[in-house]
Amino acid sequence: MEGPSLLEELDTPALVVDLDVMDWNIERMAALARQAGVRLRPHVKTHKSPWIAHRQIRAGAAGITVAKLGEAEVMIEAGITDIFVAYPIVGEPKLRRLERLLNEVDLMLAVDSVEAAESVAQAVRRSGRATARVCIDVDTGHRRLGLPPGAATVELAERVARIRGLEVVGLMSHAGHLAAASSQPALAEAARRAAEALVETAETLRKRRLAIEHVSPGSTTGAAFEAQVPGVTEIRPGTYVFNDRNTVERWAASEADCALTVLTTVVSRPSPDRAIVDAGSKVLSSDPAAGGAPSFGLIAGRPDLKLERLSEEHGILSVDPAGGELRVGDRLRVIPNHVCPAVNLSDVLYGCRDGRVVREIRVAARGRYR
Amino acid sequence: MEGPSLLEELDTPALVVDLDVMDWNIERMAALARQAGVRLRPHVKTHKSPWIAHRQIRAGAAGITVAKLGEAEVMIEAGITDIFVAYPIVGEPKLRRLERLLNEVDLMLAVDSVEAAESVAQAVRRSGRATARVCIDVDTGHRRLGLPPGAATVELAERVARIRGLEVVGLMSHAGHLAAASSQPALAEAARRAAEALVETAETLRKRRLAIEHVSPGSTTGAAFEAQVPGVTEIRPGTYVFNDRNTVERWAASEADCALTVLTTVVSRPSPDRAIVDAGSKVLSSDPAAGGAPSFGLIAGRPDLKLERLSEEHGILSVDPAGGELRVGDRLRVIPNHVCPAVNLSDVLYGCRDGRVVREIRVAARGRYR
């Protein structure tokens, strides 16, 4: 490894991963899945790094989830073969890429419409493969992709199952709406209800002779509750590997479980109530805080500092004058609101143990949005 | 150039630059500066591309502005030498890099505190150079870096001028507060007032024997007004090269002046009032709209579609059922709210003329946030 080996020598801003905390996060989620008797298929969009994906697999993950073919390509290159592409694949350029990938790996694919299913089936037929496994994406409340559970999804699944080249093997959902829950009991209840709707729809489909193997709700905030719902076979959390301010706000982690922080330097103290750090939206992203708090990250260990505004290269802190000292040149650590887009802004994460940088982790699938 | 040569063959999402519109934007801002008798020093953070920076210089720009040393390094590598680093340089790793760069190029530097000035001076003295030129960053209303114009800035400038190795040659500001103006006349008035405060402070400093050559306010939205203020010597707009939804909202451009759009594909039509496209926050950024409109970009030519929510890889459109058709596989073009962070999420921009892709433009300084 080139570059500095002490945290203090790192230039800023820098994304620093406490590998002990990360390993603990990986192990804890693997244990949660094991104890509940479900498969764990982490979404790798959070870290976009084959090195970390392999660690998740070694800890017990059954395979990985990706959103885009570009992410799948990077992970296949790194030797990972059990991959679920949880995104409808539409358009000729992508179908050509899919065809090539199917020749190599038995990808599992998500579809949420007959149109997407028919075009994916074309790619399957053009590949050397007789069939590809697909999961139907179901809208359990997030109002993004998918049809509602029950009749609408049952009809869609049956139509997709009749398309030559496709084998309907599962139902998936992403309960993104849990982020809006106002309390942990409300979140738990919403997560359970969403997962149960998925299970019931799977039951209906099985009665109609579709061999639904996978019932897979997916989110970090809901994972602990989803895994307990009888009939759920798999969970697909992503953010848990690092956690972030929003998983803390959603009761799924504590600040101590946040493995990734952005190391930043105070570059200006223009007034007693204001400080400027060198981490702006080009390193943190401008993703808002879950729950609507008007701040762009937590300053670790410094409740007297609030990250109130971001420019591209500036973080503007409001400073409580009754708090501690803060001078030009001081270094702070920011827990980002949302760690996934922050990682996607960097080429390298600095993995450290006990204050030493022990590994530069390449964000190999950064920017692979196609 | 590898890759497809027709727009229709591009995989999505893709950042497409209409080079005719971009050239017109570059030419128009150069003419504005020429006619006002001020220098133009575009901020290259918008495009992060040496190829475009060279076009700006050929059209008459006196040099370029960068925020971070990493951007300066990329531009120096591409043969550009007249560079203003409009950001306080703090911390030993950066000072070592600065020292190396000063050996090669006579960078102009911004400082807004004695602390930052003193550390920059160390790097100057360690370099082969006797002095470096610095501009004092002044807070004309944005409440970010800098002290207010007048007495506070005068005192700071005089203290900096006494530091061995530094030559105070100018005052700079960034009127980011113009984004909050409620009307074009209000914006014009605020831009003029901010620039006048800078000019007056420069006058005071000249009376006190500081040779202030540069009086440089900087923003795309204020440029036309700042350039007209007597005593202003330079403008530093950035966004004008592409424009975006926010420059349109701030009356500085029309939709037809937006050179960069994000080509995206409809991947799902789960309900009559909703469509999902494959452009999310990992290609558009989640920067909000100036003026607070709850949307993440304009869909070019389709006022019936509103980009209401973003996930990382999904854009969620609300669809007016009285509008046009919209099917899975259709392609749309999104004008991003804020083009600078969108560019920073991509490795390549596709330059096109008349619907043909004629150049892949490398975003060479993407991610160079240090």
Side-chain angles (χ1 to χ4, degrees), chain B residues 54-358:
Chain B
H54 277 295
R55 287 180 94 78
Q56 291 173 308
I57 290 168
R58 272 203 300 278
I64 62 169
T65 306
V66 302
K68 297 291 182 89
L69 288 182
E71 294 170 326
E73 286 159 354
V74 169
M75 295 297 159
I76 290 169
E77 174 104 12
I80 295 174
T81 55
D82 194 340
I83 301 178
F84 176 40
V85 185
Y87 200 91
I89 298 166
V90 173
E92 196 47 38
K94 279 202 186 59
L95 294 177
R96 280 197 300 271
R97 290 163 66 203
L98 175 61
E99 181 190 332
R100 280 198 299 273
L101 292 181
L102 283 172
N103 281 326
E104 196 178 335
V105 172
D106 184 19
L107 296 173
M108 188 156 70
L109 306 168
V111 299
D112 80 328
S113 70
V114 171
E115 294 88 333
E118 274 171 348
S119 60
V120 164
Q122 277 179 38
V124 175
R125 294 192 297 260
R126 291 189 317 220
S127 79
R129 205 168 285 283
T131 60
R133 298 168 301 149
V134 301
C135 287
I136 308 292
D137 196 345
V138 183
D139 177 10
T140 58
H142 189 33
R143 288 183 40 83
R144 195 172 67 181
L145 293 168
L147 301 179
T153 290
V154 168
E155 193 202 329
L156 172 63
E158 292 193 313
R159 289 179 67 186
V160 172
R162 285 196 290 272
I163 298 173
R164 187 165 59 87
L166 301 185
E167 209 182 331
V168 176
V169 298
L171 298 182
M172 69 156 280
S173 65
H174 169 62
H177 61 295
L178 301 183
S182 59
S183 70
Q184 190 175 23
L187 188 151
E189 180 53 25
R192 270 185 228 111
R193 250 187 297 123
E196 282 164 6
L198 210 61
V199 170
E200 281 162 27
T201 307
E203 276 308 316
T204 308
L205 284 170
R206 287 186 189 119
K207 283 187 195 129
R208 300 169 76 105
R209 318 243 170 146
L210 283 187
I212 302 297
E213 270 176 72
H214 305 289
V215 180
S216 174
S219 71
T220 287
T221 47
F225 312 109
E226 293 160 346
Q228 298 298 331
V229 171
V232 164
T233 68
E234 180 179 277
I235 53 174
R236 302 187 326 280
T239 313
Y240 79 95
V241 67
F242 296 142
N243 291 309
D244 56 20
R245 192 253 189 99
N246 285 347
T247 54
V248 174
E249 297 266 349
R250 297 300 98 183
W251 313 281
S254 72
E255 225 181 283
D257 301 324
C258 292
L260 187 149
T261 52
V262 178
L263 189 66
T264 186
T265 299
V266 176
V267 297
S268 180
R269 285 289 274 124
S271 72
D273 63 350
R274 191 178 357 133
I276 314 299
V277 293
D278 62 3
S281 64
K282 275 181 174 165
V283 64
L284 288 167
S285 94
S286 49
D287 267 30
S295 104
F296 292 93
L298 298 174
I299 311 298
R302 290 295 297 258
D304 55 323
L305 306 175
K306 224 180 246 148
L307 188 45
E308 228 169 40
R309 285 190 291 148
L310 295 183
S311 303
E312 287 161 57
E313 305 287 5
H314 311 75
I316 294 109
L317 297 177
S318 74
V319 178
D320 179 350
E325 277 210 348
L326 193 65
R327 288 192 267 204
V328 170
D330 285 357
R331 288 169 162 226
L332 298 168
R333 298 174 77 154
V334 185
I335 300 172
N337 282 349
H338 190 182
V339 73
C340 312
V343 168
N344 185 51
L345 289 162
S346 282
D347 293 303
V348 168
L349 314 177
Y350 296 92
C352 71
R353 295 193 198 271
D354 302 321
R356 294 191 71 84
V357 181
V358 296

Side-chain angles (χ1 to χ4, degrees), chain A residues 246-279:
Chain A
N246 285 348
T247 55
V248 173
E249 297 267 348
R250 298 301 98 184
W251 315 280
S254 71
E255 222 180 284
D257 301 323
C258 292
L260 187 149
T261 52
V262 179
L263 189 65
T264 185
T265 300
V266 176
V267 297
S268 180
R269 283 291 273 123
S271 71
D273 62 351
R274 189 175 2 129
I276 313 299
V277 293
D278 62 3

Side-chain angles (χ1 to χ4, degrees), chain A residues 18 46 51 141 145 165 187 229 297 309 311 339 343 367-368:
Chain A
D18 185 319
T46 303
W51 185 75
L145 292 168
L187 188 150
V229 170
R309 286 189 289 148
S311 301
V339 74
V343 168
R368 300 298 298 262

Side-chain angles (χ1 to χ4, degrees), chain A residues 11-13 45 87 94 97 112 143-144 268 274 286-287 309 311-313 346 366 369-370, chain B residues 11-13 45 87 94 97 112 143-144 268 274 286-287 309 311-313 346-347 369-370:
Chain A
D11 199 354
T12 64
K45 62 159 186 155
Y87 200 90
K94 280 202 185 59
R97 289 162 67 202
D112 81 329
R143 288 183 41 80
R144 194 171 68 182
S268 180
R274 189 175 2 129
S286 49
D287 267 30
R309 286 189 289 148
S311 301
E312 288 162 57
E313 305 286 6
S346 282
R366 183 207 54 71
Y369 51 60
R370 280 190 277 263
Chain B
D11 200 355
T12 63
K45 61 157 188 159
Y87 200 91
K94 279 202 186 59
R97 290 163 66 203
D112 80 328
R143 288 183 40 83
R144 195 172 67 181
S268 180
R274 191 178 357 133
S286 49
D287 267 30
R309 285 190 291 148
S311 303
E312 287 161 57
E313 305 287 5
S346 282
D347 293 303
Y369 50 61
R370 281 191 275 263

